Amino acid sequence: MTDCFIYDAVRTPRGKGRKKSGALADAPPLRMAKAVLEAIPARGGFEDAEIEDVIFGCVEPVGEQGANVGRMAALISGYDDRVPGVQLNRFCSSGLEAVNIAAAKVKAGDVDLAVGGGMESMSRISMGAAGGAWSTDPELAWGTSFVPQGISADLIATKYGYSRDDVDAFAVESQARAAAAWEGGHFERSVIPVKDAIGVTMLDRDEHMRPGTTLADLAELEPSFERMGRSFGFDAVAIQKHPQVERIEHVHHAGNSSGIVDGAAAVLIGNEEAGKRLGLRPRARIIRSSTVGTEPCIMLTGPAPASRKALEKAGMRASDIDLWEINEAFSSVCLLFMEEMGIDRSIVNVNGGAIAFGHPLGATGAMLLGTVLDELERRDLGTGLVTLCVGAGMGTSTIIERV
């Protein structure tokens, strides 16, 4: 197996996913992809024809972001016609899985240099736009005890004993850390502004953050999934699958759940020979990755088993990881992950997470990989692990080590 190195990682700022007020709502989805793909060869000082594949995640691949956004993104970015592209969908971990699959191709010797990443325009293509059998086919929905993700998040909080105060406190800390990271310039190396057709900057800073959010602010918000759970019967479905829970306590709302945003990210990876030939400095080595399936009703418990599997395959323990990044889909997901892995909050999402920044579905995993790499370098630390919970009951994790 060939070693696989990360040579660069870039992302757009995250724009609010609102049709009328989001800064990127007027940007066609491929404009975000173009921003990060153009930056990769420009920053590295090499010809784009050297890239042998563009692998992009997208969770709602329809309309403007349908029909193989990997290839379309490469073409609109002016890449050489010989550079192929492909689109994949692992739900919320699509961006990280794109990097993992690109890394697997490098390790196998099939390609020397590739880009993995993803994109999602949630202001223009709404969640659920692609449809799907899980929520609409009665045989599948009933057989897997389908419930929406918000019900699953509240089920986790109830089953594992996380109160409204617990999940709100985690969210307040995410906002505070995100604000401090931007003020400290922690993202300057990686954030690429999105510009319009005439070169005017549309957005150069994460737009969804709410600095100064307090527990009192969040206490005023009503639970988002209570009516859905109780009036539409989803609570009953979840309790039938998890009968040890007598009643689901609905504790999640817009302030302690991931925000709906637009964004794109790209990670340049390759083998040692490609880096030497092109004069690129390796920043980190991709050690191991893993994706697992979990029970689909509770759905969001995959990060811990995926991380344990990746660590086991790498011959490592949780104590060997210096910094952790878990996607903040919902506060309870992160609280459970830290408890199950036995890790301290001080080394998890140190620059905030999706509760503050938002979660551009197909891009988030690649964004988190770049975030942890930048922070490892800033702190002069060695190892990082990135993980995400995934719809329909899955989890994906990737371990990197600085070179």
Side-chain angles (χ1 to χ4, degrees):
M1 294 280 286
T2 301
D3 276 345
C4 179
F5 298 97
I6 299 175
Y7 288 105
D8 201 3
V10 296
R11 70 171 178 90
T12 67
R14 300 168 179 91
K16 293 178 181 177
R18 298 176 182 172
K19 291 182 182 296
K20 295 183 179 180
S21 61
L24 297 179
D26 289 333
L30 288 176
R31 186 169 300 282
M32 298 184 297
K34 180 180 179 181
V36 293
L37 286 184
E38 283 184 338
I40 289 289
R43 286 159 56 109
F46 62 89
E47 296 296 323
D48 52 59
E50 297 285 350
I51 296 171
E52 296 178 72
D53 209 352
V54 173
I55 303 175
F56 251 43
C58 181
V59 175
E60 301 294 346
V62 296
E64 295 175 294
Q65 59 187 26
N68 188 358
V69 295
R71 174 61 169 171
M72 298 304 110
L75 290 175
I76 201 170
S77 301
Y79 279 22
D80 191 284
D81 290 348
R82 293 169 292 177
V83 180
V86 66
Q87 166 191 300
L88 65 83
N89 186 356
R90 181 84 76 177
F91 293 150
C92 293
S93 72
S94 296
L96 186 61
E97 194 67 88
V99 176
N100 293 342
I101 290 175
K105 295 182 74 171
V106 171
K107 290 180 179 182
D110 291 339
V111 301
D112 295 331
L113 197 70
V115 171
M119 54 172 280
E120 205 80 35
S121 177
M122 301 182 76
S123 62
R124 297 169 74 100
I125 310 293
S126 61
M127 283 191 294
W134 192 32
S135 61
T136 60
D137 184 326
E139 180 181 2
L140 178 59
W142 179 256
T144 56
S145 300
F146 167 78
V147 298
Q149 282 196 358
I151 305 298
S152 298
D154 286 338
L155 174 60
I156 289 173
T158 304
K159 184 173 181 178
Y160 294 97
Y162 304 126
S163 68
R164 172 68 182 259
D165 286 345
D166 293 332
V167 293
D168 281 357
F170 183 89
V172 168
E173 182 67 16
S174 178
Q175 293 284 357
R177 292 183 178 193
W182 263 107
E183 292 305 314
H186 297 183
F187 305 124
E188 290 179 353
R189 178 170 186 172
S190 299
V191 172
I192 304 299
V194 179
K195 299 183 179 182
D196 66 15
I198 60 173
V200 175
T201 296
M202 302 180 72
L203 187 66
D204 60 6
R205 180 183 176 91
D206 291 317
E207 188 182 25
H208 184 268
M209 299 182 296
R210 298 178 179 87
T213 297
T214 66
L215 283 171
D217 295 330
L218 297 186
E220 296 180 0
L221 301 178
E222 295 294 325
S224 296
F225 310 106
E226 184 170 15
R227 183 171 180 268
M228 179 188 296
R230 294 178 181 165
S231 298
F232 298 170
F234 287 118
D235 280 9
V237 173
I239 291 169
Q240 184 178 45
K241 184 66 177 181
H242 295 266
Q244 65 271 51
V245 174
E246 294 182 1
R247 172 188 170 91
I248 294 178
E249 298 298 327
H250 290 282
V251 297
H252 287 92
H253 49 73
N256 57 32
S257 308
S258 56
I260 294 173
V261 295
D262 306 328
V267 180
L268 178 67
I269 58 177
N271 57 27
E272 184 177 15
E273 189 277 330
K276 288 182 176 179
R277 185 178 75 250
L278 301 176
L280 303 173
R281 182 182 69 84
R283 298 175 62 189
R285 179 184 293 106
I286 296 180
I287 300 298
R288 190 69 67 190
S289 65
S290 176
T291 294
V292 302
T294 60
E295 195 277 298
C297 178
I298 201 166
M299 194 184 319
L300 308 173
T301 58
S307 297
R308 286 194 291 264
K309 183 177 180 180
L311 288 166
E312 181 182 354
K313 286 183 173 291
M316 302 172 70
R317 297 173 296 180
S319 58
D320 295 323
I321 302 299
D322 294 318
L323 292 176
W324 303 73
E325 285 286 333
I326 175 172
N327 184 38
E328 294 176 359
F330 302 90
S331 288
S332 64
V333 173
C334 304
L335 294 174
L336 177 61
F337 176 72
M338 292 187 293
E339 181 178 338
E340 290 189 322
M341 298 302 296
I343 53 179
D344 190 79
R345 178 76 174 97
S346 64
I347 57 172
V348 179
N349 295 6
V350 297
N351 291 321
I355 289 172
F357 295 126
H359 171 27
L361 304 175
T364 303
M367 287 183 169
L368 296 183
L369 196 64
T371 295
V372 79
L373 176 54
D374 284 347
E375 191 63 19
L376 287 172
E377 291 174 341
R378 195 179 75 84
R379 298 188 180 206
D380 194 23
L381 297 174
T383 56
L385 187 148
V386 175
T387 188
L388 302 92
C389 60
V390 183
M394 294 182 283
T396 300
S397 295
T398 301
I399 303 169
I400 67 169
E401 177 184 46
R402 277 183 63 208
V403 177

